[in-house]
């Protein structure tokens, strides 16, 4: 597995809980964090409507064609 070093600031309580879990399971802090991220991403379903609302109106100079130009058949 290739990895990228990343710094993360944790609260004191988060760090204590991770250390406890790491000790119980006999794994490193990094492994606990990777597992937590994997679990989060496996259940994450992005909200498309939120993405659309953040980008709505981003292209301000677009011109919509007249409906008279539409070919209807």
């Amino acid at each position: 597995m290739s990895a990228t070093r990343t710094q993360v600031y944790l609260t004191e309580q988060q760090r204590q809980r991770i250390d406890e879990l790491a000790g119980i399971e006999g794994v490193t802090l990094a492994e606990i964090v990777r597992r937590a991220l994997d679990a989060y991403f496996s259940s994450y379903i992005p909200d498309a409507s939120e993405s659309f609302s953040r980008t709505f109106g981003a292209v301000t100079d677009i011109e919509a064609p007249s409906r008279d130009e539409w070919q209807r058949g």
Side-chain angles (χ1 to χ4, degrees), residues 11-62:
T11 66
E12 190 173 324
Q13 182 183 21
Q14 289 169 329
R15 179 59 194 252
Q16 288 174 351
R17 293 182 73 187
I18 290 172
D19 288 343
E20 288 173 18
L21 186 56
I24 291 168
E25 296 195 10
V27 297
T28 64
L29 175 145
E31 179 62 20
I32 298 296
V33 172
R34 284 191 294 267
R35 288 178 185 178
L37 287 170
D38 287 343
Y40 174 79
F41 289 131
S42 70
S43 64
Y44 177 73
I45 301 171
D47 181 4
S49 64
E50 176 63 27
S51 296
F52 289 135
S53 68
R54 284 195 311 250
T55 59
F56 182 77
V59 182
T60 57
D61 60 345
I62 193 167

